[in-house]
Amino acid sequence: MSRYLLHRLWQSAVTLILATIVVFAGVRALPGDPALALAGEDRDPESLRAIREQYGLDDSWLVQFWQFVSHAARGDLGQSIRTGEPVNGMIAGALPVTIELSVLAILVAGVIGVGAGVIAAVRRGRPAEWAANALALLGLSVPNFWLGLMAILYLSVALGLFPASGFVPFFTNPVANLHHLVLPAMILGTGLAAVIMRQTRSSMLDALSADYIRTAEAKGLSPRAVIGRHALRNSLIVVVTIVGLQLGALISGAVVTERIFALPGFGKLTVDAVFQRDYPVIQAVVLVTATAYIVINLLVDLLYSVIDPRIRVRGES
Amino acid sequence: MTTVAVPIRTNRRKIARRILRNPLAITGLVVLVLAIVLAVFANVLAPHEPTQTQLDQAFAPPGTAGHLLGTDDLGRDVLSRIMFGLRASLHVGLLAVATSLVIGVPLGLMAGYFRAIDALISRLTDLVLAFPFLILAVGLAAIRGASLGNAAIAIGIAQIPGVIRIVRSETLRLKSLDFVAAAIVEGASDAWVLGRHILPNAASVIIVQATVAIPAAILGEAVLSFLGLGIQPPAPSLGTMLSDAQQFAARAPWAAVMPGLAIMLLTLAFNIVGDSLRDALDPKASRR
Amino acid sequence: MSSVLEVRDLSVSFRTEDGSLSAVDRVSLEVGASEVLAIVGESGCGKSVTAMSLAGLLPRSARVDGSVRLDGVELIGADKRTLRSIRGREIAYIFQEPMTSLNPVFTVGSQIGEVLRTHLGASRQAARARSIELLKLVGIPSAERRVDDYPHQLSGGMRQRVMIAMAVACDPKVLIADEPTTALDVTIQAGILDVLRGLRERLGTSIVLITHDLGVVADLADRVAVMYAGRVVETAEVHELFAHPQHPYTTGLLGASPAAGRHADTHRLDEIPGLVPTLSVQPDACTFADRCGQAVDTCTTSQPQLTRSDHGLACWNPVGVS
Ligand SMILES: Nc1ncnc2c1ncn2[C@@H]1O[C@H](COP(=O)(O)OP(=O)(O)OP(=O)(O)O)[C@@H](O)[C@H]1O
Ligand code: SF4
Ligand SMILES: [Mg+2]
């Protein structure tokens, strides 16, 4: 295994441990007796003791932390204090919806963002660049939950083009599934598309002024090969990083988007949990998000090193 | 060759001229000033109390006498609520960005200046990044309750990594310039070098960062309030207005359209001004 | 001798924020078959702009006038498609910066193969096989392995050899080498020059060699054109020029470069005192007048034109004549 990879793995592990400590500490910071908080409405001494037992609240905090980590590592994220359901089951049910939504949003944003970015860079100083820039500025400035409301109001309710809310699992009916998710994915993708567009444009401009582009032109390559192969390939390296960095924004956006379109995903789970003060669920949601963020960024970095041979080989040597 | 190492405080008048020559920038500036005036003097300018309900006037469409932008389901004046909502938005935006700067700038300076703690600080930024702002806000709301202040703190914390990254790289760049290197060689204390040489020269990138962070924070506040994690009703906020309006949007679309437009114009104005400021400070960066 | 490349009155100006900036002014050059023409002159005198303009490689802000004929075919004003079919196939370039002139994300083999596939329609396998041959031709050891390397895995000298392999892939009539050795260590420079010499001898390629370095000129060139501030001020066969330099600027160059003729560790041309003038500040004077020890009255009132002879010269008061 390469040194670079090991280094990244190590960094991610450190971050993950720190994140777990933060979540652990956060739970201890809940107002009042954590057992009371974790017990919710159900406050008879018997169940309080059970909770103290389960979370080891009478042990030293080091032992407690170990308990917390080992439970989490075994996939035991506790039980909802509202429904008594195991939290990992709830998460497992909600996560696929969110993942599908996010992947679709990234696809939409990638296609629009990279396309508009390339056009803006290549058509520098022409109306096309101006239009692409204006669109990106709007995309950055528009609150996407509002855009979602407007889309429901005008595209779904008034014109009936898309379902206004609800969800059909992909394996039940793929067409209906996509029909339900197209609009939310586009709404979720707007901000990301704007960021990708700006990044693509700027790195395309950098790439287009690079020496190797001059070489490509001097070789007699067609503009298509020069722009599409030589310049874009280099620009995409940066774009991939941006998607990694924007993941947090995407997760936040997914929460809101799911709320607006009433999609039974991770976001809905999160928001509901806050309002019901379902602390075990909140704790699990925060932990899972942080872990997902760290793992995905690690994967993005690995992808990055696949696209960029300089990193790949630097690590190998 | 590196460029000449003169302290680079681009001439202020030149920057102003560059901005004033750009019609888009002026438009953004005008909208921004207008929004700030409306927000700051909301208590004088607003035609109604923002929380005053008049059930007999519910769902008045825009243009109704006394209600320029119409009323909502409780007969509250949309325009007045927007003006107070703008005030809350700006309040949260500034508070959040101030939080991120107060913490992020010193950390960024140190990360760029002292090699030894660079890795430590970058682990810390990774840690913060692992908690998307909404998740931070969820956690904070769970621990401390939902409020304007907690929303601002959550947003501010989430913005710290961005500040650190920008200040760090600017510090690294400035540190390598001759005039700073000379000061270091002459035995100036670290605090002196950081405070006298690096911070003032990093000011422009910090200002630019702040102008793009404020609209992001404003959008963040709207999201949190929309979800009920921010400003609590009945206090007017553009986000809560939208979440209220969601229920009766088909009946009174203006109540959903207007606050959203207000947020968009405000953030758009900030973004335009931020972009033009960056371009004016560094014409080469206009491509970014 | 019939010329492969014939440049007549080539002028280039750039549109900039501060108006039009003239970079090259009525340059004429001729390169015969398997001849090496060196263009020398200090930094900013327009060597690269001249070179790039030959195959229409300048940015859109450039305005190019005059005539460039390659085997009798006019290139100035030719349509883009024609120019593309000529670039890389009949005129090929090597640039100064081997570190950045290759695309970091593609293997050197694929970058060489790209030329073959574009111009000769070679298949992937054929292109690869030919790339390996070319790498051998330019003296890269274990070419079979190197063909799959990425540029950053190669040293500067090796990368420059790859650039040369890429340039000669389609056996071009003219190779334009813009300071091919400037960025390289002295020891590596000699190797690159050997490769160029070999190409000229084996393939009969004509070479336009742009350089700061008189050692390189003496080593490789048949003819020399000396440029100053966008103009050719003196041109002659290489021994003639070294033996009888007539333009004060040329003698300055040779004087500032006592080791001319020896190898690469020579002085650079920039060491003549005075500032490089921006072109066309004094349209009615010799642009060198400010720095010239030979200047006479005419020099500040009238611009000398390059004489058309074997030893061309643009000077009112040449050295060693009066
Ligand atoms: N794209 C451009 N736009 C405006 N001016 C340019 C452009 N390219 C070159 N120039 C100007 O043209 C002049 C000649 O530049 P050129 O690169 O040909 O010099 P050179 O002789 O190759 O110098 P060097 O030895 O440093 O490579 C310079 O003054 C340069 O500033
Ligand atoms: S023309 Fe005059 S000024 Fe110019 S080089 Fe000759 S002698 Fe010198
Ligand atoms: Mg040059």
Side-chain angles (χ1 to χ4, degrees):
Chain A
M1 194 149 40
S2 77
R3 237 183 31 214
Y4 171 74
L5 219 145
L6 279 176
H7 183 62
R8 282 295 293 122
L9 267 177
W10 161 244
Q11 284 184 340
S12 303
V14 171
T15 313
L16 192 57
I17 292 169
L18 290 175
T20 317
I21 295 176
V22 168
V23 175
F24 174 76
V27 173
R28 311 301 114 167
L30 288 176
D33 181 352
L36 281 177
L38 291 167
E41 312 284 88
D42 184 16
R43 294 194 169 173
D44 65 282
E46 187 54 34
S47 54
L48 279 184
R49 211 180 44 245
I51 286 172
R52 287 220 162 79
E53 181 77 6
Q54 187 195 346
Y55 290 89
L57 290 177
D58 297 326
D59 298 331
S60 79
W61 66 265
L62 214 66
V63 175
Q64 287 186 38
F65 182 63
W66 173 246
Q67 288 289 320
F68 172 69
V69 171
S70 55
H71 276 108
R74 266 182 274 131
D76 175 8
L77 296 170
Q79 277 138 28
S80 162
I81 54 177
R82 294 292 145 183
T83 61
E85 250 183 282
V87 176
N88 37 2
M90 296 168 76
I91 289 180
L95 218 43
V97 181
T98 305
I99 291 176
E100 193 189 348
L101 175 65
S102 308
V103 168
L104 284 176
I106 291 175
L107 282 180
V108 170
V111 169
I112 296 176
V114 170
V118 169
I119 290 173
V122 173
R123 297 252 168 261
R124 183 129 206 239
R126 314 228 189 120
E129 186 200 13
W130 194 88
N133 285 343
L135 224 55
L137 203 54
L138 270 177
L140 283 183
S141 305
V142 67
N144 66 356
F145 63 98
W146 176 69
L147 205 60
L149 284 182
M150 295 295 110
I152 291 177
L153 204 54
Y154 293 106
L155 298 182
S156 301
V157 177
L159 298 179
L161 293 179
F162 299 97
S165 67
F167 180 74
V168 178
F170 185 79
F171 293 106
T172 311
N173 182 347
V175 176
N177 166 277
L178 288 178
H179 197 201
H180 277 87
L181 283 181
V182 169
L183 203 51
M186 289 196 341
I187 299 296
L188 178 54
T190 41
L192 187 61
V195 175
I196 291 181
M197 180 270 165
R198 288 191 152 199
Q199 187 58 54
T200 306
R201 169 170 167 275
S202 122
S203 54
M204 271 302 275
L205 285 173
D206 280 347
L208 286 173
S209 66
D211 286 339
Y212 58 79
I213 291 300
R214 185 183 59 184
T215 307
E217 281 175 342
K219 288 202 283 196
L221 301 186
S222 67
R224 232 176 115 154
V226 174
I227 293 163
R229 211 170 113 78
H230 285 267
L232 189 58
R233 178 72 182 266
N234 279 275
S235 313
L236 284 185
I237 293 174
V238 191
V239 172
V240 168
T241 339
I242 287 298
V243 173
L245 288 172
Q246 287 295 312
L247 205 64
L250 196 71
I251 293 172
S252 300
V255 172
V256 191
T257 310
E258 286 173 11
R259 172 102 175 153
I260 294 166
F261 289 92
L263 298 172
F266 200 68
K268 190 170 175 309
L269 189 70
T270 308
V271 177
D272 290 349
V274 172
F275 288 121
Q276 298 168 351
R277 308 209 172 277
D278 199 342
Y279 291 114
V281 177
I282 297 177
Q283 173 190 320
V285 156
V286 175
L287 189 62
V288 168
T289 313
T291 310
Y293 182 90
I294 293 166
V295 170
I296 293 176
N297 261 290
L298 181 64
L299 292 178
V300 166
D301 258 25
L302 299 185
L303 176 64
Y304 188 99
S305 71
V306 170
I307 306 182
D308 189 344
R310 281 163 296 188
I311 293 179
R312 185 161 72 224
V313 182
R314 196 189 326 127
E316 278 163 13
S317 56
Chain B
M1 290 294 111
T2 42
T3 40
V4 200
V6 180
I8 352 87
R9 234 176 276 175
T10 322
N11 178 338
R12 293 225 170 90
R13 219 180 305 148
K14 203 162 159 190
I15 294 169
R17 191 151 19 90
R18 282 203 199 123
I19 291 179
L20 293 180
R21 234 193 284 135
N22 177 350
L24 191 64
I26 295 180
T27 317
L29 215 54
V30 168
V31 173
L32 197 56
V33 169
L34 204 70
I36 293 175
V37 168
L38 284 182
V40 171
F41 299 104
N43 42 353
V44 187
L45 295 174
H48 298 269
E49 274 296 308
T51 50
Q52 177 196 1
T53 58
Q54 286 174 284
L55 290 178
D56 54 325
Q57 303 221 15
F59 297 130
T64 308
H67 298 292
L68 192 58
L69 297 184
T71 61
D72 65 7
D73 56 334
L74 301 176
R76 294 176 295 192
D77 182 49
V78 171
L79 177 61
S80 307
R81 287 179 70 73
I82 286 181
M83 286 162 73
F84 280 91
L86 283 175
R87 177 187 270 193
S89 291
L90 287 169
H91 186 172
V92 174
L94 292 176
L95 201 60
V97 171
T99 307
S100 69
L101 291 183
V102 164
I103 302 175
V105 170
L107 285 178
L109 286 174
M110 289 194 292
Y113 194 78
F114 303 109
R115 295 238 55 168
I117 53 171
D118 193 11
L120 177 70
I121 292 179
S122 67
R123 283 291 74 68
L124 276 179
T125 32
D126 279 359
L127 177 64
V128 175
L129 282 172
F131 298 97
F133 101 92
L134 214 118
I135 298 296
L136 263 174
V138 163
L140 216 58
I143 297 170
R144 306 182 23 148
S147 71
L148 180 148
N150 288 341
I153 292 173
I155 297 167
I157 292 177
Q159 287 184 337
I160 291 174
V163 176
I164 292 183
R165 191 168 51 86
I166 282 171
V167 175
R168 175 182 172 275
S169 68
E170 186 67 4
T171 306
L172 281 173
R173 190 182 71 83
L174 290 168
K175 199 175 135 189
S176 70
L177 295 185
D178 289 349
F179 74 101
V180 179
I184 296 174
V185 169
E186 279 161 24
S189 74
D190 292 334
W192 175 265
V193 173
L194 280 171
R196 283 292 302 207
H197 292 301
I198 293 186
L199 189 57
N201 282 301
S204 61
V205 296
I206 296 175
I207 291 170
V208 170
Q209 163 69 14
T211 41
V212 297
I214 292 174
I218 288 173
L219 285 179
E221 182 275 327
V223 166
L224 292 182
S225 298
F226 177 77
L227 294 176
L229 296 172
I231 295 167
Q232 296 302 302
S237 135
L238 299 173
T240 45
M241 286 177 76
L242 282 170
S243 92
D244 292 346
Q246 198 181 1
Q247 279 113 54
F248 50 84
R251 171 100 197 265
W254 57 87
V257 173
M258 299 303 171
L261 278 180
I263 302 175
M264 190 170 82
L265 284 178
L266 183 61
T267 49
L268 193 60
F270 263 113
N271 279 328
I272 289 174
V273 171
D275 278 5
S276 353
L277 196 59
R278 186 185 42 204
D279 294 355
L281 285 169
D282 179 8
K284 265 183 290 170
S286 64
R287 344 206 248 102
R288 254 138 254 270
Chain C
M1 184 170 54
S2 72
S3 341
V4 176
L5 184 70
E6 195 176 343
V7 179
R8 282 274 158 264
D9 292 330
L10 181 75
S11 298
V12 181
S13 58
F14 291 98
R15 267 174 285 126
T16 66
E17 282 167 34
D18 316 317
S20 168
L21 176 111
S22 168
V24 171
D25 186 30
R26 285 164 290 155
V27 161
S28 297
L29 301 166
E30 256 174 63
V31 190
S34 66
E35 188 183 36
V36 178
L37 170 75
I39 303 180
V40 298
E42 61 201 336
S43 199
C45 71
K47 305 182 295 291
S48 296
V49 171
T50 304
M52 300 293 278
S53 66
L54 299 180
L57 285 172
L58 291 172
R60 261 186 297 169
S61 64
R63 184 199 151 91
V64 183
D65 294 303
S67 155
V68 172
R69 283 171 179 272
L70 180 70
D71 261 353
V73 179
E74 179 62 52
L75 300 185
I76 301 296
D79 64 295
K80 286 185 175 160
R81 186 173 278 275
T82 312
L83 282 175
R84 276 209 303 276
S85 68
I86 284 172
R87 289 178 200 152
R89 174 158 200 171
E90 303 193 356
I91 294 191
Y93 284 83
I94 308 168
F95 299 109
Q96 176 178 349
E97 304 82 9
M99 295 305 180
T100 52
S101 290
L102 291 168
N103 194 327
V105 301
F106 298 113
T107 62
V108 298
S110 82
Q111 295 188 59
I112 299 173
E114 204 174 18
V115 193
L116 298 162
R117 291 170 46 178
T118 304
H119 291 298
L120 310 178
S123 69
R124 217 172 263 274
Q125 293 90 331
R128 188 187 150 88
R130 177 83 179 118
S131 300
I132 295 174
E133 275 174 39
L134 286 162
L135 289 178
K136 286 181 181 156
L137 177 74
V138 296
I140 290 187
S142 47
E144 287 84 357
R145 220 158 36 80
R146 288 306 192 178
V147 74
D148 294 321
D149 274 0
Y150 288 93
H152 68 271
Q153 293 167 283
L154 302 174
S155 67
M158 286 298 147
R159 286 189 221 184
Q160 196 60 301
R161 286 171 196 255
V162 170
M163 282 295 291
I164 297 175
M166 202 157 78
V168 299
C170 297
D171 196 2
K173 292 176 186 138
V174 181
L175 181 63
I176 297 170
D178 190 349
E179 311 201 28
T181 58
T182 307
L184 302 173
D185 284 351
V186 177
T187 44
I188 295 161
Q189 289 185 2
I192 298 292
L193 294 179
D194 282 341
V195 172
L196 290 176
R197 194 175 335 189
L199 288 176
R200 182 260 279 271
E201 277 156 20
R202 255 185 288 174
L203 307 176
T205 317
S206 307
I207 299 177
V208 176
L209 177 71
I210 294 171
T211 180
H212 280 267
D213 192 328
L214 293 175
V216 173
V217 175
D219 208 4
L220 205 62
D222 300 310
R223 286 181 64 80
V224 186
V226 179
M227 279 186 76
Y228 183 79
R231 300 197 176 92
V232 174
V233 293
E234 183 164 14
T235 171
E237 191 267 327
V238 64
H239 298 298
E240 162 72 11
L241 190 90
F242 277 104
H244 308 291
Q246 292 183 17
H247 196 283
Y249 176 66
T250 314
T251 57
L253 286 184
L254 296 172
S257 177
R262 244 184 29 212
H263 263 286
D265 60 336
T266 47
H267 292 263
R268 290 281 152 87
L269 303 185
D270 324 44
E271 292 167 23
I272 297 177
L275 289 173
V276 187
T278 36
L279 186 57
S280 67
V281 279
Q282 316 143 297
D284 291 325
C286 171
T287 38
F288 191 55
D290 285 350
R291 295 162 76 184
C292 182
Q294 294 271 113
V296 292
D297 287 349
T298 345
C299 302
T300 50
T301 55
S302 173
Q303 193 180 86
Q305 301 299 321
L306 187 70
T307 57
R308 295 191 69 174
S309 66
D310 274 353
H311 191 147
L313 182 68
C315 179
W316 297 125
N317 186 21
V319 179
V321 171
S322 57

